[in-house]
Amino acid sequence: MPTTPALSFDPLDPAAQDAVRALAAAAAEHDGVAPLSEQPLLRLGTDADWLTHVVARDDEGTVVGYLQVDRGGDDASAELVVHPDGRRQGVGGVLLRTAERDARLPMFSGAPGQRGKPLRVWAHGDLPAAQAFAAAHGYEVARELLVLARALGPDDAARDVPDLAGLALRTFRPGADDEAWVRLNARAFADHPEQGRLTVDDLHDRQREPWFDADGFFLVVPADDETSEPLGYLWTKVEDQPEGARAGESRVGEIYAVGVSPDAQGRGLGRALTAVGLRHLARVGCDRAVLYVDGDNAAALATYAGAGFERAAADVQYARPAVA
């Protein structure tokens, strides 16, 4: 008979962080999709009053589940994972109820503005098991994050830099451009629940990742003053090439983020920067490009459709229906 897992809520020490990464890797291998997005993995070592870590262990002390609740936005956002060997034993339900309680009344923080928040829970890949779990607990789709993809070829590598009409394109300079990029990103994504909240520390976390390459990070600046505040940016991401890719499998590169200042909207920068990203990815050896975009972002969807992208998958946020 299933037993209730033991839960711990302390900040994660290095050993616990490694255990959660191993748990996520086991789930990804089993499900074919990563159960946790990049941000929760980068925050495994973060101790903040708006963030809750929950580790579930079985009777032998083995980590069988993990939950992270982020209360820094308008809604509380949760991501959780259960080890494939520990599923259908109530672990997921315990973690979900814990997330619901934490959203209503944070366990370790009475900070103003962090109580009574609606809860949204991510399901990466929106697999049938996740759909059934959400339905069984009264959750419905509240947000869809689409994964778009397209092939890359020689024509992409041969692209000219689009005419930016009085603007210039240069690569990002770590250290010198950090704060300016954070300001630009906050303006470009002022209404975005995750992207617009990124801080200099978040940027530095990514700069320490093995995939970070400043040569694939581009800023748009006024042509007559390249040291002034940037008006747009294009950030690409290419993970280490897996062994299988050397045997002929696709090498995938990501249009990681495209941001345009509100002051520069309507000048075609999003379309031009997307072309820059495709050219860069093709030139570094990628033969497939992917990106993430919210399903209700009509303008971005139109831009990416025009660049040849098509829907490949989706991540979904679930929430309980609002009570009238």
Side-chain angles (χ1 to χ4, degrees), residues 38 206 208-213 236-246 249-254 281 284-286:
E38 177 184 66
R206 286 155 176 77
R208 287 188 288 268
E209 289 294 291
W211 57 261
F212 179 78
D213 179 9
T236 63
K237 175 181 179 180
V238 182
E239 299 274 11
D240 289 340
Q241 183 169 330
E243 291 294 330
R246 299 189 182 96
E249 294 183 7
S250 293
R251 188 182 191 204
V252 179
E254 182 179 344
L281 293 176
V284 297
C286 296

Side-chain angles (χ1 to χ4, degrees), residues 196-242:
R197 293 169 49 209
L198 294 184
T199 65
V200 170
D201 286 341
D202 291 323
L203 173 61
H204 291 168
D205 284 342
R206 286 155 176 77
Q207 290 174 344
R208 287 188 288 268
E209 289 294 291
W211 57 261
F212 179 78
D213 179 9
D215 289 338
F217 193 166
F218 302 90
L219 299 181
V220 175
V221 294
D224 58 357
D225 184 6
E226 295 193 8
T227 64
S228 65
E229 287 282 302
L231 297 173
Y233 76 89
L234 177 284
W235 193 351
T236 63
K237 175 181 179 180
V238 182
E239 299 274 11
D240 289 340
Q241 183 169 330

